[in-house]
Amino acid sequence: MADALAGLRKSAGIALLATRMNFRSHLVHPGEVALANVGALVQALSGAAVLMLALSASGGIHGWTLAEWAALTGFTTVARALWNTVFFGTLDIPDMVRSGELDHYLVRPTSPLALILFSKVDTDVWIEIVVGTGMLFGALHVSGADVSGPVLVFIPLALIGSALVFAAMHLAVTALSFWLRQDAMLSMLIWRLDSFAQLPMSFYPRWLLTVFSTVVPFAFVGYFPCLYILGRTDSPFVWALPLAGPLLFLPAVLLWRGGLDRYAGTGS
């Protein structure tokens, strides 16, 4: 037990060091970081504007008002940005497996997964967090939702859980590269499907809602947590929703470890 705790402390220390170095490497080129954030801002605002125009013309979407949809979009935007901050490096796993770069991580004195997780961050996460947070709380104010103390406690817990749901899906897909060796398209598919989480699940047909609640659990990213945040449900079971992230991330880690056990390098 003591050895395990010592190993975890060592991995956490190295991960924090890698994160600090990663942030510093971005600050070497501040203009590039600023440009990336401006691009992300333009993309976020243009996408939101198009959907808002569509919703304002129809007066809502499947019982969701424009303000409620904006709150859902803001929430999922922040959750995705949090995932980008820590887990962005998992997208490189397929390339590492195919090229043999993964070997470099295996000979280092700490968890290779921890090193990969903290190996890089997306440079435009800052503006996504600012825009998403502003959109969330602005929309909650406009919608008239009761932002009580329990809701304020629930929001950060749900955001962490949602970021872990994103992380679990991407890690599980990229870990398949140990068997498939060519899963870049699967990873890109999950990446593109992320936008589906920004619409109310009631918009989708029942069979697709079932898929998004089980196989590809986007419903846990924003829709289910926002039902409570927006006052659409007062079920006490909503407090179990933040646990979905850790519960989904655990089997993804086990899949990663299973793939790592069969990894034999490239032979070069």
Side-chain angles (χ1 to χ4, degrees), residues 229-267:
I229 294 170
L230 291 167
R232 285 174 162 264
T233 179
D234 57 357
S235 170
F237 292 107
V238 297
W239 289 93
L241 288 175
L243 296 177
L247 292 176
L248 290 169
F249 193 65
L250 179 59
V253 172
L254 294 177
L255 184 63
W256 152 267
R257 289 185 175 179
L260 201 60
D261 288 341
R262 74 186 305 276
Y263 176 72
T266 60

Side-chain angles (χ1 to χ4, degrees), residues 77-87 125 128-129 156 159-160 163:
T77 298
V78 176
R80 193 172 187 275
L82 293 177
W83 167 76
N84 281 353
T85 304
V86 179
F87 301 97
V125 294
E128 291 175 351
I129 291 174
L159 283 172
I160 294 173

